Amino acid sequence: MIFILAIPVACIAWTVTKEEVFREAREFCVGKSQKCRTLLQRKFFYLFTCEYCFSHYVTILILAITNYTLIYDGWKGYLLAGFSIIWIANVYMSLYNLLRIDLKKQKIITKKEEQNLPPD
């Protein structure tokens, strides 16, 4: 179950902090995280730009929805489940990032090879 719950956490955290669909909101948050007067405001906006930080809040939401606990009942089980889900979700995001980098690299190599082919 824990590996399943980490999938939507990783998906939501990655999408909000990295994908084009949220670019404008992310750029707004980046600006606010650098220019706000108070530390609390800067840190609040930074949470929406960092997939690791944002995964904590997504995990809290997922745990509230599912009531999932790990090993123990109550707050101890939520704490263990939360940090475990965060860790697994971040492993998923790291693997996804490596996969994307490899795909981009292959795309660039293919494009260069196509450019070097003699005309038909």
Side-chain angles (χ1 to χ4, degrees):
M1 180 70 155
I2 195 166
F3 292 99
I4 302 298
L5 291 176
I7 294 170
V9 170
C11 181
I12 293 166
W14 184 272
T15 301
V16 169
T17 61
K18 300 290 184 199
E19 294 300 330
E20 185 66 21
V21 70
F22 287 101
R23 182 176 51 84
E24 291 84 3
R26 188 173 46 257
E27 288 173 355
F28 172 79
C29 290
V30 166
K32 289 288 194 177
S33 73
Q34 295 169 347
K35 296 176 182 153
C36 280
R37 289 180 184 235
T38 67
L39 177 67
L40 188 61
Q41 288 174 324
R42 288 192 306 271
K43 296 304 176 190
F44 173 78
F45 285 106
Y46 181 75
L47 294 175
F48 298 98
T49 66
C50 168
E51 72 272 9
Y52 176 74
C53 301
F54 195 64
S55 69
H56 286 71
Y57 293 95
V58 177
T59 298
I60 291 169
L61 178 67
I62 294 291
L63 289 176
I65 291 169
T66 63
N67 290 321
Y68 179 75
T69 58
L70 186 63
I71 300 175
Y72 302 106
D73 289 330
W75 69 270
K76 291 178 187 176
Y78 286 116
L79 195 63
L80 255 136
F83 284 115
S84 299
I85 290 169
I86 290 164
W87 189 83
I88 295 166
N90 280 279
V91 168
Y92 289 165
M93 287 187 282
S94 296
L95 293 172
Y96 181 68
N97 191 40
L98 288 172
L99 179 65
R100 283 179 55 126
I101 289 170
D102 192 48
L103 289 172
K104 280 184 180 181
K105 180 181 168 186
Q106 289 302 320
K107 210 182 268 188
I108 290 169
I109 290 169
T110 302
K111 194 171 188 175
K112 279 188 174 188
E113 288 175 351
E114 286 175 354
Q115 291 172 349
N116 292 335
L117 287 175
D120 290 336

